[in-house]
């Protein structure tokens, strides 16, 4: 049996992506568990405390709880640096099959994302498409805060969730009934929109919500998206993946046996994850039905958007005409 941690990653360089929202709770969690990583992440965060809703270029602003985002490439780089510092052995290639790993290692932590191979080891998974079709793009324009942009078209409303993740770049997640090119979207929203050359995120698709009946089998345990996905409109997947990892480590330290530790991990995490998945479904449904509320007065439209799924208790804002 091995006495060290080994990570297989087949795509260390290819995970550039755009930005990812990291709520303050994530930094608190890192500060408590891996303070050196928290110190490394903190200066790279783009932070904001207000939200802008722009509908047909008319803007409405409100103060919202503090939020932050980071470039995925930066987060990955800092995580790898921490792995190096902790003596983790990295194998930059396709992981062996789960059953082979299970017979060679004490514990196999399966963290291979939403397209996980877990079903090949007998995990029972369900995938449901939720929310409207979307594309995951970026914008080279500096945004100063989280901005929802809604524009009416002959095909109904196109809605973008845009936020800064550095001084000069932002994530631009866009939803609508029909696929549109980045050039069309640039004209529609008045922001320079670009695909990610390293990924196929610019392909329009619907979000795949993943649930798994039991998160462990023998000495294999699932964490992060391999165990559960949560609709992107509540920006929680990375947060939940970090929390899974922390609770797994704490459960291993607290329980007397591997079996008990893996049960404790799932007992602790499943109710939290299911609550987020419920919020994610409500949020996805709101964006699917945006055409029904598009013509409400802007303040009511914005309040509905920001309180969907109970995101924020009360909102009050100010409007700026187009
Ligand atoms: C459009 C969209 C927007 C999102 N926005 C946010 C957001 O703002 N905030 C947020 O918190 N979350 C967001 N998420 C969710 C977030 O991306 C995921 O929840 C998070 O990345 C999950 O982390 P993970 O480590 O479990 O999986 P991943 O990040 O998918 O990592 C899995 C890793 O496993 C590797 N891998 C897979 N199979 C193998 C194999 N066989 N061998 C070797 N390596 C393998 C992959 O290369 C990859 O690096 C968003 C998701 C989507 C779809």
């Amino acid at each position: 049996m091995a006495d060290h941690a080994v990570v297989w990653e087949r795509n260390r360089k290819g995970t550039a992506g755009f930005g990812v929202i990291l709520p303050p709770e994530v930094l608190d969690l890192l500060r408590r568990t891996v303070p050196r990583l928290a110190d490394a992440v903190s200066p790279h965060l783009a932070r904001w405390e207000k939200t802008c809703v722009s509908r047909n270029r008319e803007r409405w602003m409100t103060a919202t709880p503090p939020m932050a985002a980071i470039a995925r490439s930066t987060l990955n780089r800092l995580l790898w640096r921490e792995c190096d510092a902790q003596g983790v052995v990295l194998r930059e290639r396709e992981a062996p099959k789960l059953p082979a790993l299970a017979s060679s290692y004490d514990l196999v932590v399966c963290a291979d994302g939403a397209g996980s191979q877990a079903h090949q080891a007998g995990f029972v998974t369900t995938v449901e498409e939720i929310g409207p079709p979307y594309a995951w793009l970026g914008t080279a324009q500096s945004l100063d805060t989280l901005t929802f942009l809604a524009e009416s078209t002959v095909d109904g409303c196109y809605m973008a969730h845009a936020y800064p993740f550095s001084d000069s770049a932002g994530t631009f997640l866009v939803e609508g009934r029909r696929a549109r090119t980045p050039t069309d979207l640039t004209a529609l929203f008045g922001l320079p929109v670009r695909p990610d050359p390293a990924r196929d995120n610019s392909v329009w698709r619907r979000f795949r919500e993943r649930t798994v009946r039991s998160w462990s089998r023998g000495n294999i345990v699932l964490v992060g998206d391999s165990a559960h996905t949560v609709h992107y409109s509540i920006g929680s997947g990375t947060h939940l993946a970090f929390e899974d990892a922390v609770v797994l480590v704490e459960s291993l330290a607290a329980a007397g046996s591997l079996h008990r530790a893996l049960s404790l991990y799932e007992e602790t995490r499943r109710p939290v994850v299911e609550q987020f998945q419920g919020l994610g479904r409500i949020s996805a449904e709101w964006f699917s039905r945006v055409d029904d509320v598009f013509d409400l007065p802007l303040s009511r439209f914005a309040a509905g958007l920001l309180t969907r799924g109970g995101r924020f208790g009360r909102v009050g804002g100010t409007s700026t005409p187009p």
Side-chain angles (χ1 to χ4, degrees):
M1 290 287 176
D3 59 359
H4 51 256
V6 183
V7 174
W8 279 265
E9 171 56 73
R10 66 181 175 197
N11 196 15
R12 180 175 173 170
K13 295 212 173 75
T15 50
F18 291 104
V20 62
I21 288 182
L22 284 188
E25 297 90 302
V26 178
L27 206 57
D28 294 345
L29 181 77
L30 293 181
R31 213 168 281 297
R32 181 167 67 78
T33 52
V34 201
R36 185 171 48 197
L37 183 58
D39 288 343
V41 164
S42 186
H44 294 282
L45 291 173
R47 300 168 197 264
W48 63 86
E49 294 193 15
K50 59 190 177 180
T51 296
C52 175
V53 178
S54 165
R55 188 183 60 185
N56 290 344
R57 311 288 166 93
E58 185 184 1
R59 287 161 63 88
W60 186 90
M61 294 285 278
T62 187
T64 42
M67 202 48 87
I70 189 168
R72 281 176 184 260
S73 51
T74 306
L75 182 60
N76 275 337
R77 181 170 52 78
L78 299 175
L79 283 166
W80 284 121
R81 199 168 78 187
E82 184 59 30
C83 282
D84 284 344
Q86 303 249 3
V88 170
V89 175
L90 171 63
R91 308 244 160 96
E92 274 192 70
R93 57 177 179 270
E94 186 79 21
K97 299 285 177 226
L98 287 171
L101 289 172
S103 57
S104 308
Y105 290 86
D106 299 314
L107 175 65
V108 181
V109 180
C110 179
D112 55 352
S116 177
Q117 303 299 313
H119 59 281
Q120 292 179 0
F123 286 89
V124 182
T125 58
T126 309
V127 171
E128 192 186 336
E129 292 197 332
I130 59 171
Y134 74 91
W136 194 355
L137 304 163
T139 173
Q141 185 157 315
S142 164
L143 299 157
D144 61 350
T145 195
L146 173 65
T147 306
F148 291 100
L149 303 116
E151 293 291 329
S152 52
T153 75
V154 288
D155 293 319
C157 172
Y158 275 69
M159 182 110 204
H161 313 216
Y163 53 84
F165 62 79
S166 73
D167 290 343
S168 57
T171 290
F172 190 92
L173 259 158
V174 61
E175 298 160 346
R177 259 186 239 151
R178 265 193 328 112
R180 297 258 179 144
T181 65
T183 310
D184 283 353
L185 295 167
T186 296
L188 180 63
F189 288 102
L191 269 182
V193 171
R194 63 183 171 94
D196 179 353
R199 295 170 81 108
D200 66 349
N201 289 332
S202 49
V203 174
W204 287 68
R205 66 187 83 206
R206 292 183 71 207
F207 185 80
R208 290 161 64 82
E209 187 198 60
R210 177 181 170 85
T211 49
V212 182
R213 194 188 292 162
S214 170
W215 294 352
S216 66
R217 281 175 67 80
N219 64 342
I220 306 175
V221 63
L222 311 183
V223 298
D225 276 14
S226 72
H228 47 73
T229 56
V230 175
H231 193 259
Y232 58 79
S233 59
I234 65 165
S236 307
T238 308
H239 178 189
L240 292 173
F242 274 127
E243 279 185 346
D244 282 357
V246 168
V247 172
L248 177 59
V249 169
E250 289 173 348
S251 302
L252 288 165
S257 70
L258 183 61
H259 175 74
R260 180 65 204 124
L262 300 188
S263 301
L264 180 61
Y265 158 68
E266 182 163 345
E267 281 161 22
T268 311
R269 292 299 295 150
R270 187 175 279 281
V272 178
V273 165
E274 286 180 350
Q275 196 185 3
F276 275 85
Q277 284 181 320
L279 289 175
R281 278 194 293 274
I282 294 170
S283 178
E285 183 66 14
W286 192 93
F287 287 106
S288 297
R289 293 172 177 270
V290 64
D291 284 322
D292 298 347
V293 292
F294 190 83
D295 293 324
L296 287 174
L298 180 57
S299 58
R300 282 185 58 204
F301 174 79
L305 167 59
L306 297 188
T307 56
R308 70 195 188 281
R311 296 291 292 155
F312 305 118
R314 279 163 53 83
V315 286
T318 50
S319 298
T320 317

